[in-house]
Amino acid sequence: MAMLEKACQKAFGKALWVYHANTGACNGCDIEVINVLTPYYDAERFGIKLVGSPRHADVLLVCGPVTRQVAPALQRLYDATPNPKLVFAIGSCATGGGCWFDTYSTLGGADKVIPVDFYVPGCPPRPEAILYGVAVSLGLAPKTVGAELLRQESVEELARGESIVGEVRP
Amino acid sequence: MTSALLLQTCVLLLLGGALVSLACARNRALAGWVSVAFVAAACVPLARVVVNVFAGVAEGETVLLALPALPARLTVHVDALSAFFLVLTGVIALLSTLFSVRYMEHFEKDTVAKFYPVLLVFFASMVALLVVTDMLFFLVFWELMTLSSFFLVIFERERKDSQRAGLKYFVITHAATLCMIAGTLVLWRQAGSFSFAALQDSLGVLLAERAVVAHLVLFLFFVGFATKAGVLPMGDWLPDAHPAAPSGVSAALSGVLVKLGIYGLIRVFCSFLPVSAASDTWGVVLALAGTVSLFVGTLTALRQTDSKRLMAFHTIGQIGYICLGLGVGVACLRTSPTIAALALLGALFHAANHACFKACLFLGAGAVLHRTGERDMDRLGGLAASMPVTASSTTVAALSISGVPPFNGFTSKWLIVAACILGGLQHPLFLVLGLVGMFISLVTLASFLKVLGAVFMGARDESRSVKEVPLSMALPQVVLAALCVLLGVFPRLPLGVLRDAVASAVRIEVPGADALLGTGFGLGLTAGGLALAFWAPLVVVLALALGGALAYAIQRAGAAKVREVPVWTCGELDSAAAVRYPASSFYLPFKHAFAGIYPALHARVPQFPAALRRAFNVDTWLYRPVVRAVDGLARGVSRSHVGVPQVYLLWIAVGAVVVVAVMLALTR
Amino acid sequence: MRTIVVVGLAVLNAAIALLLSPLLEGLMRKLKATIHSRIGPPVTQPYLDLLKLLGKEDLRTGRGFLYAAAPALTLGSVLVLATLVPMGAAPPLSFAGDIIVVLYVAAMSAVLVMLTGFGSASPYASVGSSREMMTLLTVEPVMAVALVVGAVKAGTLSTAGILAWQVEHGPSISMVIAGVAFLLALQAQAGKLPFDIPEADQEIMGGSLIEQSGPRLALFRWAMWAKQLVLAFLLVELFVPWPRVGILPFDLMLALVKVSLVLVVVALVDVVNPRLRIDQAMGYYLRVAFSSLAALAFAVIGM
Amino acid sequence: MLTSKLREALICLKAGRVTLPYPFAPHDPEPGFRGKVTIDADLCFGCGGCANVCEAGVILLTDSGQHTRVLEFFWRRCTYCGRCQEVCPEGAVKLSQEFQTATNDAADLYLRLEVFMGPCQRCGRCFPPPTPLERMKRTGFRADGEGGRA
Amino acid sequence: MAKGNGDAERVEEVLGERLGRGIIAVGRPQPDTLLVTIEPGTVLAATQALLDDLGARFLVSVGTDRRPISGDFAVTHLFSLDQSHLYVVLECPVASENPEIDSITPLIPGAAWSEREIRDVVGVSTRGHPDPRRLLLPDDWPEGVYPLRRDFPYNERPPAAEGTRPAWVPTPEGASVVTLGPFFPVLEEPSNWRLFVEGETVVGCDYRGFYNHRGVEKLGDSVMTYNEIPYLAERICGICGFIHSTCYCQAVERAAGIEVPRRARYIRTMMLELERIHSHLLWLGIAGHILGFDTVLMQTWRIREPVMWLAEVITGNRKSYGMNTIGGVRRDVTEVTKARILEVLGPVEKESLAVRDAVVGDTTLHMRTKNVGILENAWARQVCVVGPPARGSGVRIDARIDHPYAAYDEVVPRLCAHDEGDIWARVLVRIEELLDSIRLVREAAAGLPDGPIVAEITEEIPSGRIGVSTVEAPRGEAVHYVLTGGDNRPWRWRVRAPTYPNLQAMPAMAAGGNIADIPITLGSLDPCFSCTERMETVDVRSRNVRVYSPAELLAMSRRSGRPGGGS
């Protein structure tokens, strides 16, 4: 029985059913999300498929800045999705609010309302970038970005011969 | 004790109960419980009679009263067929009376003085007419039954629809009775006696000598009984009358009263009618009439949103099934007795099953009406949580009537459809009728899924707090639902009994139960050594249990957690009342396709001069004297003024004379 | 001994329905993907889907025993159906149910799905269940006519009897027509386009099953796949059972190949059609039902 | 109708399977693609032009101490318009070809550059010391010009 | 525009007759634009005259807060005289004490939303409006707070009002509600349709949209300059971004009298048409998807994908090209890219033709699309529907022909129209346009003139000028209205996306239909909620930067980093 349970958990990553939620996006990301399912990119290779009801979903794809009007609905959507679930923020708006991150009628990125598991920046992200995000979430690919801390040498450091330019925190 | 004595006890108990309940009608509950007690008591001798019959204790006819002038004799004889219908009557009478005790509470304005006594008289008349073997007395009791049921239908006489329903019922059934009287008179002239045996012989003679008249007589009987049974087009009274009556009565009307029409049809077409080419023809007529009513009745039922009206239309449909089985049986009597026996078996079994599930459904609808005051299913929803017992028993009954295996409705439909298809090997017409039967069984399913979906499931209306009905109302439903399951899963026993009933009704040799139904624990129809059809409910239930258990094990394999959540409405919240899918919305495209199938007549209730109305006021000439006589009950008597049917009665009387004259002229 | 054989065969049939149905669904998806010019999911994807769903949370909006037990009963009823249908051999439980029982048991799973839909109190589910019912109303008669044709030909309602008759007598006009009608009905029974109206993800978001999640959804889906497999078996075994050598493994393999072909046809029709509206679908199936009455007429005159 | 279905099938079959092998094989963007922002720390002299034109307000400028200007790129909300690259006089800010930027941690989408600089006292304009020697010479200038450069 | 001149005089004449002294002033900011300032009391008479006597078509209404300049509000109604290639701008000053004006919705049903929006965002209410419910602010937005008034900071988020409920239309008796959205699978964007259904039949519907309202305009209010807004405009819509940025740039260019080089105009034309190609292919796929016909989705998107790659080659991004700038375009189309364009278009055209041939005979598709979602010609005119929905109903308008812009005076499009008004007609219109667009791109590429790609802007853009620009998006005609201000920013920028009027036609198309037909009916409008629900715009951040030539701009922009604004 425990073995079966484990198998069920293992299967999670191999059959991600996706619910696509536009929370105020401009359509760019939404179209690219659909594009990922089309022949050239074919996300269904990885068992990913688009579903119509949040009850069937394993993954919420959130596109767009969360507008004030849509925020309660997004919260309800999150609650309506069975655990375990992943939330992907697709595009710059969902990851960080885009160019409307601080306007009166948006709340910013998706993580202002619900917990986000993966961020896929881009405006809009290329279909490849979305696929890459999926690959990262499935552990098929390592993430390549990290916070970068760059610094020009100061006089003192120059004098000491130290330089930390270009260090990347993984 | 002899059967006759037992039956007299039974009837007297019922009549006594009527008087006692009238006497204590002031106390509603007391009157109710008294009635229940008397009905229960009456059931004891009744049960004894039935047991005797099925145990094979042979008894001859007993003469209780003779009218030598006519000559007519009040003879009593219980054969297996009568016994079967007595069982139905007893069970339904007891349960519907029990249900009515608390149910009558919500008719605050109306006195029960015009309810329990009439109800008990109604039961008594049914018992009586089932056991007499003399046509004159049969007709007398028939009329008594019709009248008493008429008063039950117009119980709520202030309501316009009750008035109209009562009027329609009165007119149509009396016209039917008239037909029966006319037919009887013709045969009586030939036989010189009203006894069944004599009439049977005279019909045979008539058929040989004057076939036209014989067929006319058969037609009159057919119209007469089919009207009572609710076969369309004569059964048009039914969808109005059943909903109008209090729910307990609806159950009795639908469970038993209409079955007596079937009883009559069986008596006429299986016992009276000799097995001949004529029986082949009349079999086809019966089957066609049955198919028409099941087709039209059920499809019309699908369009109803009033729960009781819906069920009334289904009564028409289900009677259609019985009639179809009967017809196939009668038609096959000559050519293939086995199939005929199977078809008749199916018809009778369906009659029994229909009594169970339809009574249960009416009681369920009554329970909902009692608690919510609503019959309009558009306004109901989500009651399963607050009325679990009613919901469960209604679900069982609904699945039964829809023919979902392994409930009882499926078994009888299976018998009828199998008989149709097997009979269809000789009469290809029956193939089509059988297919129609299968299709309509789906329509029934659709219709009752609507009832379940709209009334018990769906969005709960939080604004209305609804409680489950009290035990005395829940118990009858549970008993009937349990019967639905038991009869479905263990069909051998009832079918064995029914074989005797069939054997006693038909004039051919009926094979034994094993030869008909196979020797296994299920049903295996065989004919001439060839296995024809199989249905073993126990095996299927067992397999379903195993399969379901396996499936449940799979379901739990991932140890999923359960969480209760609100309904997903795309992210916005909406009130339950707004998003509820009302009954009228179900299957609209399909309903549109059959919209014109049941023509709606918009007849106005005619108005009559006040004087006439007063003259024919039932309350004045029937109740008030009686009620006055029994101390101080007059106050409770309603002051309503329905008089319309009585005028029709007059017309009918005139018409009857004319028809009889014509008949006599014809037979000369 | 006979009991053991019967039980053994019944278990075999149920196992085939249970274990092979996701594979065939996977094949259909692969085919669909190929038509779509893409790679598509692996053929084992349905198994993964089911496994995943079994491990997910079970969200419920309805209450009551029937609602709770509906998924298990649905799958159970399909397993029962599997034992009533021939798969390479005579149907193991043919003594327990004839074609009428087969038809009604086949409808049972649909009934449970509809009840679940109504029970979940969602307007979309109600619309879906309502559509499901309407589809059933017009599709079941087609299946009924097709099977009754067999009954008329063989003179018995027993599935085993019809199978034996058909094996013995070879093809006939009426059975061919009936088989085609049954194939058309299969399209809707399998819930494939253009008749996936009751589910219609783009209109009512999954219809009756919109509120079902996790293991419940898995069971319903599984039941649906199993049902389409079982009905395909019924089609190939009753209408095209030849050649028949009488050796179970061989006959079973052959039947499986035929079933795959039937499902390929179903998938092909699925992929080149838009969804019809419910009234159009009903009209279509009514026409099919009436046309298939021709098969009945042929059968009656012995063709 | 049937010919129509056949035609549809033909379109499908003619196309064959077109799925790209990505992510198992790279699928690079076209040259000129605007990807993740990069900055050449050595070239930047902290003029803040990029911050001024950034429509999404990605770039935050703060002066810390006397000769450190901090440029923070909160590029999680970057719209990849390329204006920063366009206005950068030194070509320090560039949009790379990199698009594989998915991550599980929003903090990864952050770039911080500490520019060592000295503002001109007269015009208030920042300029970088061209050579290390010059830089050493120019310490001591303060960033207190107009415009409230924080 | 000689013809325009004559007609402008006629308009002046007619209005003069009808209004008499109601006319305050008449101006001609551009040769094809007539600016008429009238007394607010005569707005109904003026509208009536424009509609009846001149056959004008309503575009949009704009509410402007002019209190800091002239102490009043302005309500501006824009009209187009398509035959005369003339815009008529009807400006009504509204006193600031009691901001109220007569509603023109009774005359023009299509003005309903515009006027509701004006009430919402600047607080000028309309007398006699048949449906004065809130349109675009969130449900919990407090009453009396008007985000587009000048004194409202762009980033203020007022606390939620208590106990607010969405203003829904009451449910008709006997009907139940089926909600579509805000999250609904085929609505790629959030919007809330409440369908009133009896069974499967839709007896009515109610729309609560503007879930996508992001405050585009007000954002500009504090952050944007003339030259930044194109990037913002682009993000009004991810599919037709280039259309919006072009439309905005044209409006500013027209207001400022900037002459755009011909090469830039040709490049804009090519991009616009490429966008139409990918948008129409996209729509065809989505329409197939809505009908469950995923093969159509897969195949059309497969055909479309090379166009997206092409966009990446030309502009550096698949969408949100970042190509436009005031006065021209940022990137040139080289000979190499031109060759690439032609190379891609070949197969696209071939396959589109194949798809057309296959789809046109597909009777199952006809069953779902013919005689479904019918938009009557008369009603289409009344609610001022634009684009393929209009042309599918026999309204022969096309901004590319009626108000030629970019290079459409030389690369002339074909007007594709059908009269049936059903979904199938819209499908045909789009397929024909798709094929026509391929021709246009080829012609534009062939005729691409030499020269600069961006105009040198030497003077500051004067304030107080108006510019009206229309661009034919794949979805229909987009309208941008710009009122220039000081400080290197527009005072008011109003965007009317094509979906804005088209959606208003939806209830009429839905009523009496089937639930199953609703998604495809809605889909056949090719709705773009994000466009619709933008929110006008603009004022600039507080710092004073004039518009100069790109070089100067570059220099200026280096002056300072923007403080604050962290995440």
Side-chain angles (χ1 to χ4, degrees), chain B residues 222 231 262 265 282-295 316-332 339-340 342-344 346-348 350 412-413 415-421 429-438 440:
Chain B
F222 169 68
V231 175
I262 296 295
L265 286 175
W282 278 100
V284 173
V285 170
L286 280 173
L288 277 176
T291 311
V292 166
S293 28
L294 83 93
F295 190 77
I316 294 181
Q318 299 301 310
I319 290 293
Y321 268 111
I322 300 173
C323 205
L324 171 62
L326 191 59
V328 173
V330 172
C332 291
I339 290 171
L342 287 176
L344 291 173
L348 281 186
H350 201 64
S412 46
K413 280 186 188 176
L415 271 169
I416 293 169
V417 171
C420 278
I421 292 170
L429 173 69
F430 292 156
L431 281 179
V432 178
L433 301 190
L435 284 170
V436 171
M438 280 192 195
I440 289 304

Side-chain angles (χ1 to χ4, degrees), chain E residues 231-245:
Chain E
Y231 306 100
L232 194 69
E234 209 156 63
R235 281 163 182 81
I236 288 173
C237 176
I239 305 174
C240 42
F242 193 79
I243 278 114
H244 281 293
S245 65

Side-chain angles (χ1 to χ4, degrees), chain C residues 124 131 193 203 271 275 280, chain E residues 179 200 291-292 295 367-368:
Chain C
Y124 317 96
R131 288 181 176 187
L193 283 165
E203 294 165 16
V271 88
R275 180 181 308 110
Q280 293 165 340
Chain E
T179 320
E200 298 257 325
L291 293 176
T295 310
M367 285 169 82
R368 289 305 306 276

